[in-house]
Amino acid sequence: VIPEWLFTREAGARTVTGPDGTAEELFLPENSFTALFLGTGLVTYLNPRRCDTFGEHGVKPARYELVYQDGKKLATEGNTVIGDPALHVREGKITRLTATLD
């Protein structure tokens, strides 16, 4: 549950703390929210319509992009990650996960 006011208003470089506790500078797009996820990777929610993620008019995930530890990328359409990719997220094999909300 993420209210619209937590999403960035402007794109820009931000310092974020990675899973190993070190700070790194990332470019975060406008209308995004990034956080440490399951202690192993960063998740970024892209919210182009800038809406709450809850309630009658809340936005939901429409697409995911997963980045593995070896740099491999996998994109999935839909509001859930299922099968092996979901297992890989839980196992900590994913370093970055980007969810596009619609």
Side-chain angles (χ1 to χ4, degrees):
V1 179
I2 307 170
E4 63 81 20
W5 60 267
L6 280 178
F7 290 89
T8 59
R9 294 210 175 268
E10 296 178 3
R14 307 284 197 292
T15 301
V16 296
T17 302
D20 61 358
T22 60
E24 79 178 278
E25 191 150 313
L26 294 178
F27 179 83
L28 300 180
E30 178 181 40
N31 300 322
S32 67
F33 176 85
T34 298
L36 186 61
F37 184 66
L38 298 177
T40 60
L42 294 174
V43 61
T44 298
Y45 295 95
L46 303 177
N47 188 351
R49 294 192 304 145
R50 194 171 186 83
C51 295
D52 294 330
T53 64
F54 56 90
E56 184 179 339
H57 301 290
V59 291
K60 306 286 185 237
R63 181 178 193 278
Y64 290 92
E65 182 180 90
L66 291 75
V67 179
Y68 285 81
Q69 291 171 343
D70 65 3
K72 177 182 142 192
K73 294 181 180 182
L74 174 70
T76 65
E77 299 293 324
N79 62 0
T80 57
V81 176
I82 59 172
D84 285 342
L87 180 62
H88 298 156
V89 170
R90 289 190 295 275
E91 291 174 340
K93 295 179 180 178
I94 305 299
T95 59
R96 294 289 307 262
L97 186 149
T98 302
T100 302
L101 307 174
D102 188 22

